Amino acid sequence: MPGVEVEVVWASLSKAWRKAQYEELWLQFRPRGSTDAFEAVEAAVHVANQAVDDAGWGDGVFTGGVSDSDAGPVALMSRAGPEEGVRAWFAAFAQHLQALGKSGRVTAAPEAHFPEWLSGAVDVPLQLNAFVSYQTDELALLDAEQERRTWHVPTDLTAQIAEAATAWGRFEDADVYLSRRIHQTRTRNPNVEQALAAGAIKFAMARVAYLRSEPRRFTWASMSPLGRACYGVMDDTISWQDRLAQVTRAMTAFPADTDLAFVQYSAAPSSWSELSYARPALPHVEEYHVRYNRHLNGQYIPDAHGIQLLTDAHLEHANDLSG
């Protein structure tokens, strides 16, 4: 197609590949003209995977996890080798993007990692975290796979939740980490509410984290499938009572639009999938019971301890509340 060209910037890709010890590679398509390229990148990834598989490199070269960023869609080549297969993959990828009428550059995607003290190098204590289950669209007609893959909260409410989450978590001079699906970027701009909402709607997985290393301060809001969100605080400069008040504010921000919310100590940052490691432990059910019974959140609670946001439907099922 005249005027359509997709350039593969091999020098940038090779440097990132070498830095990752030739095991994986984050790539990014930076489009020219229209920035609406996500579906095209998904299609090109599928075509390139099939091309290298047909050529016999399928065991060594594979890309998935297509995510988004402000500069263009990104994807993770989780199996990256040998070089001949990697180059063949990028050739097929670029060719298909051109066939779809896209122009731009394929280069290494920027990566942003939390500081070492938060990424496992140091044992970070469990932190106060609010688990919130927002009301969703009707789920009854969806199969289990559709349920697990989507955020399901109405668009207008999602925008309000994202705006409130960023206003709740940001603080002066914080580094801002934005995660959409499995890719994370860093920015100094604290106003990422639109990107956070779009990430939740598109991928059912999005998170914003505000971080400072000295003195340590870390707030996060994560959004995951089925309208589940987590809000957490780590702050060495304030008491646990102040941190508890902060996560309680987050979980009570939309009471009429919330099925269930409660506070526990959990990892930093946390998600509903880590309930099995939260403390105190759930006394009567396992984490997977909660995970696969989302429809019960509006009527039942996983545990009757601590701070909870309960509805009339919850209280109708209660017996003796004197204890």
Side-chain angles (χ1 to χ4, degrees), residues 176-316:
V176 185
Y177 292 80
L178 178 66
S179 175
R180 286 167 280 196
R181 203 173 186 180
I182 62 173
H183 183 256
Q184 181 167 270
T185 56
R186 185 173 62 204
T187 176
R188 297 292 293 185
N189 177 16
N191 303 311
V192 295
E193 56 270 17
Q194 292 184 355
L196 182 67
I201 292 170
K202 182 179 289 187
F203 305 115
M205 293 174 61
R207 181 183 66 213
V208 61
Y210 298 93
L211 188 149
R212 182 188 65 204
S213 292
E214 291 293 339
R216 292 193 309 186
R217 187 177 180 184
F218 182 38
T219 60
W220 64 90
S222 64
M223 305 160 82
S224 55
L226 297 170
R228 291 165 169 163
C230 285
Y231 301 88
V233 174
M234 171 192 290
D235 193 334
D236 291 345
T237 66
I238 61 176
S239 68
W240 70 265
Q241 292 94 335
D242 289 337
R243 285 181 278 124
L244 177 59
Q246 189 170 350
V247 295
T248 302
R249 285 198 303 272
M251 82 173 196
T252 57
F254 299 93
D257 301 301
T258 301
D259 282 336
L260 170 67
F262 53 90
V263 174
Q264 280 197 301
Y265 278 98
S266 57
S270 193
S271 68
W272 277 69
S273 62
E274 293 165 10
L275 263 180
S276 56
Y277 306 106
R279 292 294 179 268
L282 300 178
H284 305 297
V285 297
E286 302 293 338
E287 180 275 328
Y288 64 86
H289 293 136
V290 180
R291 187 191 331 154
Y292 291 119
N293 289 282
R294 168 64 179 82
H295 61 288
L296 298 179
N297 286 1
Q299 303 174 65
Y300 299 96
I301 61 177
D303 189 11
H305 80 273
I307 294 180
Q308 310 253 350
L309 189 155
L310 304 179
T311 66
D312 290 342
H314 292 121
L315 297 177
E316 286 174 4

Side-chain angles (χ1 to χ4, degrees), residues 23-37:
E23 293 181 353
E24 63 179 27
L25 174 60
W26 276 104
L27 61 105
Q28 180 176 60
F29 175 57
R30 299 186 177 185
R32 283 191 292 269
S34 173
T35 58
D36 184 15

Side-chain angles (χ1 to χ4, degrees), residues 4-37:
V4 174
E5 180 182 3
V6 174
E7 176 192 3
V8 177
V9 187
W10 180 250
S12 171
L13 291 164
S14 179
K15 181 179 179 181
W17 187 30
R18 182 171 64 253
K19 186 177 180 180
Q21 299 182 337
Y22 302 100
E23 293 181 353
E24 63 179 27
L25 174 60
W26 276 104
L27 61 105
Q28 180 176 60
F29 175 57
R30 299 186 177 185
R32 283 191 292 269
S34 173
T35 58
D36 184 15

Side-chain angles (χ1 to χ4, degrees), residues 147-171:
E147 279 194 9
R148 289 194 295 270
R149 288 181 175 270
T150 309
W151 165 242
H152 292 300
V153 176
T155 300
D156 289 347
L157 178 56
T158 300
Q160 294 174 45
I161 291 169
E163 183 175 1
T166 55
W168 168 84
R170 63 183 171 229
F171 56 88

